[in-house]
Amino acid sequence: MPNPNPPSSAPKPFLVATMHSSSTSSTATAAVAAATAVSNATSSTTTTVVSLPTRMVLSAFAGMGAAIFCHPLDVIRVQMQTSKFHGTVDAATSIYKTAGLTNGLYAGISAAFLRQWLYGSCRMGIYSYLLDEQQSKNIQLGKDKNDIPFSTKLGMGCISGGIGSLVGTPSEVALVRMSADSKMPPAERRNYTGVVNCLSRIAKEEGVSMWWRGATPTVVRATLLSSCQMGVTSQTKTELIRSGYFGPDGQWAGGIPLLFCATLFSSFCANVVANPFDVVKSRLQNMAVGPGQAPMYSGMMDCFVKSIKAEGITVLWAGFVPAFVKLAPYSVISLTLLDKLTKFVTGKDAL
């Protein structure tokens, strides 16, 4: 006779609860362990500061990439600041008709490349290193890595720009000389064959000290320009990321629109502040001094005063349009290349 109350094969409720609780607890424990491991791994990666030499080499290559596209605008800027043209288009066409592409619009490209290894590597490399160091400290303290005062970023830009310009002034002198040579009368042209020839002839004919002619306005200009360009770019980038308009962590479309907007705005600010010193720097560095002749300008302030008296206050912003048109794409290309190269090589951001 069958048992009216056969034993049930289903587990008792308390067993089900116990099994479910145990399973959930194990899963939660595993999840916490995994999250902790990921957090620790991420923390160790993000708090490791990329070395300064690595930052500088990446910066030099990024600057060279930008120089290839933007050098003609630099030539136009220099010639507009040292001669008179009826606008940017007139300057570009006149240079091309007079000297062509290689010896005209691309005159001094070797000096531009040298400038990136001396000046660009310091300006962008030192800044990104200092920024990385401060961000790593913030992470170690449990703070937002971008919680860095704007004034601190401006100070970082001043330091990197000042050091870079002092180191790179010889290449700047060569760049100005070679860029402006084609507009001089044929009998007065220096006809440099390259950056090495230019610097060696300057040292031989005028003295090694002439490599640092115009160093004062060059350093002041670079300090102001780097402070605005690098500091404003970093700050604008942070604010735009916080706005949420550029996707999670600003990575909409690979972060290109974010960097474009940040660098375009910083380029305009930097150009307004630095252009007066750029005019003075170009005039001092292109100034010819013959044997027994007194120089046209005795220094930075003398050049400021004489230029304003002769041509008015607006002369301090001569070449503003080509300078901005050159600086904006240069900033966009160089800083974007720097950010992407740094991310590819080190896994970290540059700005």
Side-chain angles (χ1 to χ4, degrees):
M1 182 174 179
N3 187 351
N5 298 306
S8 174
S9 60
K12 299 297 182 182
F14 78 90
L15 290 175
V16 173
T18 302
M19 290 170 62
H20 179 71
S21 175
S22 175
S23 175
T24 303
S25 176
S26 298
T27 303
T29 303
V32 170
T36 302
V38 171
S39 176
N40 289 339
T42 303
S43 177
S44 63
T45 301
T46 54
T47 55
T48 302
V49 178
V50 178
S51 69
L52 180 58
T54 300
R55 293 278 188 186
M56 292 177 71
V57 170
L58 291 171
S59 298
F61 277 115
M64 287 177 68
I68 292 173
F69 295 97
C70 304
H71 184 69
L73 295 168
D74 213 18
V75 173
I76 295 169
R77 171 188 64 82
V78 169
Q79 295 211 17
M80 286 187 70
Q81 291 174 344
T82 56
S83 310
K84 290 187 177 180
F85 294 98
H86 300 295
T88 305
V89 175
D90 176 57
T93 53
S94 296
I95 294 168
Y96 182 75
K97 287 179 181 178
T98 302
L101 187 65
T102 304
N103 296 321
L105 293 174
Y106 272 92
I109 186 66
S110 57
F113 286 158
L114 176 63
R115 182 173 181 265
Q116 295 307 318
W117 281 96
L118 296 178
Y119 169 62
S121 64
C122 290
R123 181 176 66 87
M124 294 187 289
I126 293 175
Y127 179 84
S128 59
Y129 173 78
L130 293 175
L131 185 67
D132 185 20
E133 197 173 47
Q134 187 60 54
Q135 288 176 335
S136 296
K137 287 180 181 178
N138 284 351
I139 292 172
Q140 290 173 349
L141 294 172
K143 299 165 61 178
D144 178 2
K145 73 172 187 177
N146 292 317
D147 187 16
I148 303 172
F150 181 43
S151 58
T152 301
K153 294 176 182 178
L154 292 177
M156 292 176 182
C158 284
I159 293 170
S160 62
I163 294 173
S165 63
L166 192 60
V167 173
T169 295
S171 64
E172 187 77 22
V173 172
L175 177 61
V176 169
R177 291 280 187 97
M178 295 173 72
S179 298
D181 202 45
S182 64
K183 63 91 183 176
M184 299 177 73
E188 298 179 17
R189 290 178 188 172
R190 300 176 175 108
N191 296 315
Y192 299 120
T193 59
V195 63
V196 175
N197 174 257
C198 178
L199 289 173
S200 63
R201 281 180 55 186
I202 290 173
K204 183 179 179 180
E205 298 168 8
E206 305 172 49
V208 176
S209 63
M210 289 300 101
W211 284 358
W212 279 272
R213 171 182 280 175
T216 300
T218 299
V219 171
V220 172
R221 169 192 174 272
T223 299
L224 294 173
L225 187 143
S226 181
S227 177
C228 289
Q229 190 181 44
M230 304 304 291
V232 172
T233 295
S234 289
Q235 188 66 26
T236 304
K237 179 183 174 184
T238 299
E239 296 301 326
L240 290 178
I241 289 174
R242 288 173 178 168
S243 72
Y245 293 127
F246 293 86
D249 200 31
Q251 291 305 305
W252 174 62
I256 302 298
L258 172 71
L259 285 169
F260 177 82
C261 292
T263 53
L264 188 66
F265 177 65
S266 69
S267 296
F268 180 80
C269 295
N271 211 43
V272 170
V273 173
N275 204 84
F277 296 94
D278 200 24
V279 171
V280 172
K281 173 189 70 67
S282 294
R283 293 190 173 198
L284 285 172
Q285 291 176 341
N286 194 52
M287 178 175 60
V289 182
Q293 293 182 344
M296 183 181 296
Y297 309 111
S298 61
M300 182 177 73
M301 290 308 300
D302 184 53
C303 186
F304 264 120
V305 173
K306 287 182 177 177
S307 297
I308 293 172
K309 282 185 177 179
E311 303 172 60
I313 190 69
T314 56
V315 72
L316 297 180
W317 284 273
F320 181 89
V321 173
F324 175 68
V325 171
K326 179 257 180 180
L327 184 62
Y330 171 80
S331 299
V332 171
I333 296 170
S334 63
L335 295 180
T336 301
L337 279 175
L338 176 62
D339 208 51
K340 297 305 177 184
L341 277 173
T342 304
K343 191 76 171 179
F344 177 76
V345 175
T346 69
K348 303 187 75 174
D349 293 327
L351 299 169

